[in-house]
Amino acid sequence: MLLLLVASVTVQSLLGEMSSLDRLAWPANYTAAQSSSYDRASKSPTVEWFANGDAGKYLRDEVNDGRTEHVMADLKGPGTVTRIWSANPAGRVRFYFDGETKARFEAPLGDLLRGRVAPFGDAHAYEAARGCNLYFPFPYAKSLKITVDDSGDVRGLYYHVGYRTYSAGTRVETFEATSAGLAVPVKPAPSRQLRREGRSLLGVQEMTLDLRGQAVVREFVVEVG
């Protein structure tokens, strides 16, 4: 099975990765990290290492159009958000892509993480084990800032924002609200024929598979008879 090389990172290509076992064998061209509500008092093993007030902590506060917005994540691209989680989602979440001053996408955080905002429904967003989850990619070419406002009780909000940062030069198509509804899985590349060589040695059949270039071994079976 040949690898499907993606010319650029898009909502469609990222959704394809989520259901592709082949993708597990690809070398990663990104680092993965998380922005969260962890207790900022914990700074090192010698400074409040066991501080445990892991809620209601933000990078900073900003005032936009007269409302206070708490910055949950301020990410530099190229990259993509892969997961958002909260145990007690509240307030209205806003996504500012590539330095925008007006949010490109916004929704009640609780509705978004519980699958009540189309098209981020069941399978991508749901509540389980007392946690609310959104597994949907939000790619950005330059930057992404995510905020939540005070339209709900966010003083004790627990949250995680998981994200990837791609290597410099990676082409990323920034999320568009319309692209979410058009996203489709990437189709796997067709299989190619492998050249086989074999000979018998003491009754054992030997075989060499000549694999060249980027490829994935999907199955390896040995039968002893």
Side-chain angles (χ1 to χ4, degrees), residues 20 42 45 48 53 65 81 83 86 91 134 190-191 193 202 212 221 225:
S20 171
S42 180
E48 297 290 343
D65 293 333
V81 165
R83 170 182 180 259
S86 177
L134 174 64
S191 301
Q193 184 65 38
L202 298 178
R212 299 180 185 275
V221 178

Side-chain angles (χ1 to χ4, degrees), residues 113-162:
L113 301 191
R114 291 186 174 97
R116 299 171 183 169
V117 178
F120 313 102
D122 191 18
H124 290 295
Y126 55 89
E127 185 171 1
R130 300 180 67 180
C132 300
N133 308 269
L134 174 64
Y135 287 91
F136 194 95
F138 292 92
Y140 47 94
K142 298 178 181 179
S143 64
L144 172 57
K145 181 174 65 177
I146 302 176
T147 71
V148 66
D149 66 17
D150 285 323
S151 59
D153 185 4
V154 297
R155 292 171 297 177
L157 177 67
Y158 293 88
Y159 68 85
H160 297 164
V161 178

Side-chain angles (χ1 to χ4, degrees), residues 74-87:
D74 192 1
L75 312 174
K76 306 305 179 185
T80 185
V81 165
T82 55
R83 170 182 180 259
I84 302 176
W85 167 92
S86 177

Side-chain angles (χ1 to χ4, degrees), residues 6-18 23 26-33 75-83 136-144 162-175:
V6 180
S8 60
V9 177
T10 67
V11 170
Q12 289 86 350
S13 71
L14 290 165
L15 286 173
E17 287 185 24
M18 294 174 67
R23 184 63 182 84
W26 291 16
N29 65 332
Y30 58 82
T31 58
L75 312 174
K76 306 305 179 185
T80 185
V81 165
T82 55
R83 170 182 180 259
F136 194 95
F138 292 92
Y140 47 94
K142 298 178 181 179
S143 64
L144 172 57
Y163 64 95
R164 297 175 179 176
T165 301
Y166 292 98
S167 56
T170 302
R171 290 187 294 172
V172 176
E173 293 184 12
T174 299
F175 172 87

Side-chain angles (χ1 to χ4, degrees), residues 193-200 204-212 220:
Q193 184 65 38
L194 301 177
R195 181 166 62 86
R196 301 181 178 185
E197 297 178 357
R199 64 189 179 91
S200 178
V204 177
Q205 182 74 21
E206 292 185 354
M207 178 176 293
T208 300
L209 301 181
D210 186 12
L211 301 176
R212 299 180 185 275
F220 183 77

Side-chain angles (χ1 to χ4, degrees), residues 67-68 70 90-94 107-109 148-154:
R67 65 178 174 270
T68 299
H70 310 286
R92 190 170 187 85
V93 66
R94 290 176 171 85
L109 182 60
V148 66
D149 66 17
D150 285 323
S151 59
D153 185 4
V154 297

